[in-house]
Amino acid sequence: MVFKFRSKWYLFAACAVLALAAAYVYIKSSPRIYEFNATLLLGDQQTGSKKAQELLEVLDVQSRGIKVEDEIGLLQSAEMIKQALRNLDFTVSYYKVTDHWLNNITHLVVEEQYETAPYEVDLDTSTFQLVDIPIYVRPIDDQTYEIRVEGEHVPRYNFRSHSTVESLPEVKFTKKLKYGEAYKDENMSFTLDRSNTKDLSDGKEYYFVINSLDSQVGQQQSALGVAPIDREARVLSLSSRGTIPDKQVAFLNTLMSEYVANDLKEKNQNGLKTLEFIDSQLAGISDSLRRSKQQLSSFRSTNRIANINVQSNISYEKLSQLEADKAKLSTDRSYYNNILEQVQTGNGIAQSVSPTVSGIQSPILNSLFLQLAELNQRKAGYSVNATQDNPMLRKIEGEIESTRTSIVANIKNLIRSSDISIENLNKRISEIESSLAALPENERKLMDLQSEAEFVSKKHDFLLEKRAEAAIALATNATDKKIVDHASMAGTTPVNVKPKMIYLLALMIGLAIPAGFIILLDSADTTVQGKEDLSSITNIPFLGVVAHGTKADKLAVLNNQRSAIAESFRSIRINLQYLMADSSFKVIGVTSSISGEGKTFCSVNLSSEMALSGKRVVLIESDMRKPTFSKYFPVSDTVGLASYLTQGQPLDDVIQKSPVDNLDIIPCGFLPDNALHLLETPKMQELVDQLKERYDYVVIDTPPIGFVSEYFVLMRHMDVNLYVVKHKYTDRNLLSQINELHSSKRVKNIYMIINDLNYNKTYEYGYKRKAHYYYA
């Protein structure tokens, strides 16, 4: 294979040059992309309540891992990226086509500019804009410029709703404007201001792109990577890639800030919901407390009542305590009904107040609320990247519904329990009121008013205490997520363009392509490649090779006896005489698989070589279907083998002289209609017998064995059979027929000759290239 590679060195050189040129174009045309990293701490992801922390302790490691994955999904979600981009000015991207020779072909070397562009575009986002299409800017002078827009299927975008209104089939226009002059039509509205501190001469051409929010999200989302620094860790490593360092650093920092701010906002919303609920209860209690105090004061003034006897006080104290217990149960029942209504209407935990905050100690209900919050958080994480048909999302939704059903059932049980307790208290209150009925009417009324005032006051104090607790919790609320490391560039070199590596890879590819092509052609080539190849497909002995020549070398043995071809036939003759030294062979048959393999060429030159060695040789052209002797000798097309076999023409009239001493030829003559039948006649045997008496050797040029059957008729006359295969021409499969004849011993003394072997294209005989001066 190395020899084959060396013979096609020009392919390797051409491909290597093309690959290196492509690498050069890639290096020059590719934007330099840098990598940026930041670190974010998730914390415990809990609200900080004691019961919530206790619940977390029973969670296993897998549950914690799922929560981290949910947070990763939220960070990479389109909505979170949109929030970050709304705080950044990435709507317009500026580009410069540099003055590089590659840009004479097309715009290959393009640089993005950020805060370095020589102009600034002020968009009117209240109107429609053409987005995601280059808008070329060509400076004319210091006051004037020209814009050019060309494109198909261009989106028409509404920045107020951040949605595509329509897609224009084709946009093409050119407009000359002055710097600072507003441009407005039905599709675009902007003002381009010239920066006096930037030079416009260093760029061949400029253009800017108005980016839709969706395209910005797509770009940042594809470049953003979020992963925990360790499998069990709650510290996330954020990475991003981009061409402008300041741009990507600002994006990562803003994204983390928005993520942390959202977490604190959600926690504050829960506290605000609690305060709103308590304030709504306080509003009614305050009015009741004021009215009850006014009624008690008025009754005392009117009836001039100052004290109540001890017995009445004891009864009323019991009654007051029972009323307070009843009020507490009524408040709890009101809270249960409030939660039940919100859960049944579908609002769920998002709008419900935590039972613990309201002073209700129900471990089962608290556990269900924490479980529902956890399931909603997991659902939010999966909803970012999953569809509604996702099995995990359906499973979570089923668990949410089951938990919500359990909450409803638990609340109803608590309501029924409260009703039973309130009914029991009402019964006890009725008993005390019956005992007090015997007291004087005024005293009884006074005690009623005092009891009502005390009840309302206790309820008011209780709510004030709970509101203070909720306010303190809201004021001290803090997020457990924080930025550990702000965004920074990782390294100082681009991650996509490394010239040395790219050139090395291009060189390897440039060398691998021709190598693979040569190997593919070699594996697909079924022709005979040389002696080793021939010996692998046949057991027929090998006699020799004939060197490659041109069309002018038809009689190379006669015309140039020092040529490589003449030396080849000289070697074949010697080998043949050596191999047949123990037998007195006379008749030599030369054949091949198909036409074009050079059997006639070999028979003519082998006969010439034998004649030049001093032997009397006659060459017979027995291929009476496609005779070719006329290409080698000046022969008659009327007198020959056919006329001898059909017309009985004398042998001396058939034999013709050749330009080679001691070599006579018998051409085909005219073309008969029954060539096979003629060769089967006794006349052919008679001809061979007569020629064997006159000549030292009789060489018969037979038809190809793969096309016609004449060879099988002539085999009985042969003492030696020479089978010619052509280098890189004869298919290996064509040798199956002669292999069968040889293995069955139906043909005797057969030898193989490789014709037209180019020493420069074969490894086996490459050494003969250095022997050319021996033939000169």
Side-chain angles (χ1 to χ4, degrees), residues 166 346 401 678:
E166 62 177 325
E401 187 60 31
L678 291 178

Side-chain angles (χ1 to χ4, degrees), residues 766-774:
Y767 64 91
K768 290 196 175 185
R769 291 176 298 148
K770 300 180 180 180
H772 62 88
Y773 53 84
Y774 283 104

Side-chain angles (χ1 to χ4, degrees), residues 44-111:
D44 292 334
Q45 303 184 24
Q46 301 299 325
T47 58
S49 66
K50 182 177 180 181
K51 290 188 175 295
Q53 292 178 0
E54 292 175 353
L55 182 63
L56 258 184
E57 292 177 358
V58 301
L59 297 179
D60 55 11
V61 175
Q62 184 177 2
S63 299
R64 293 173 182 263
I66 293 175
K67 290 184 178 181
V68 172
E69 293 298 325
D70 292 343
E71 298 301 319
I72 291 175
L74 291 174
L75 270 170
Q76 292 180 317
S77 65
E79 188 60 34
M80 184 63 66
I81 295 176
K82 283 182 181 179
Q83 291 184 26
L85 290 173
R86 288 192 181 102
N87 296 326
L88 297 168
D89 186 17
F90 292 171
T91 304
V92 180
S93 298
Y94 302 88
Y95 299 91
K96 176 179 71 174
V97 181
T98 62
D99 192 11
H100 195 278
W101 66 270
L102 286 174
N103 289 328
N104 295 328
I105 305 172
T106 184
H107 292 171
L108 293 174
V109 185
V110 179
E111 296 179 2

